[in-house]
Amino acid sequence: MQKLTALILTLVLSGCVFPGVYKINVQQGNIVTDEELTQLTEGLPRSQVHAVMGTPLMLNPVDPSREYYVYTFQREGGDIQEQRIIVYYEGDQYAYYEAQLLEETPAY
């Protein structure tokens, strides 16, 4: 009886560490394409930039002249890939952007 209990307990506990656990792709943030970035021209109002690129992920409460568009992607529990775009304004009009883009924007 003790051997049967030990065997059942071993099988139940081994199910908790099964090596074939399914891990999903995790995608978060703003997907911004090169086409959208080329639509930005100096002097666009902030609302027009939002219409082209979407709502920024982060706003700087201290410095409203910057908006941050961040996109992260993690494939099946692997390394996290990050794309970051900072949009700069002079007053309420678009001035320029700085970007660290991914080679390819992975999507589902």
Side-chain angles (χ1 to χ4, degrees), residues 18-33:
F18 181 70
V21 174
Y22 178 71
K23 295 184 180 183
I24 63 170
N25 295 336
V26 179
Q27 171 179 305
Q28 296 178 323
N30 304 85
I31 297 176
V32 179
T33 63

Side-chain angles (χ1 to χ4, degrees), residues 18-104:
F18 181 70
V21 174
Y22 178 71
K23 295 184 180 183
I24 63 170
N25 295 336
V26 179
Q27 171 179 305
Q28 296 178 323
N30 304 85
I31 297 176
V32 179
T33 63
D34 290 329
E35 293 81 27
E36 292 169 338
L37 289 173
T38 58
Q39 292 179 19
L40 299 178
T41 57
E42 192 172 336
L44 278 178
R46 190 179 299 253
S47 61
Q48 187 66 31
V49 173
H50 290 176
V52 171
M53 296 185 54
T55 305
L57 187 64
M58 294 186 297
L59 298 172
N60 188 341
V62 178
D63 185 7
S65 68
R66 296 182 195 177
E67 293 179 341
Y68 300 87
Y69 293 84
V70 179
Y71 171 76
T72 60
F73 183 78
Q74 183 179 24
R75 187 178 306 276
E76 299 174 359
D79 293 337
I80 297 174
Q81 300 174 1
E82 182 177 282
Q83 172 174 291
R84 197 179 299 182
I85 301 168
I86 304 172
V87 177
Y88 293 91
Y89 295 93
E90 290 179 7
D92 201 31
Q93 296 188 343
Y94 169 78
Y96 63 98
Y97 70 89
E98 292 177 358
Q100 296 174 345
L101 301 175
L102 294 172
E103 293 287 327
E104 175 186 33

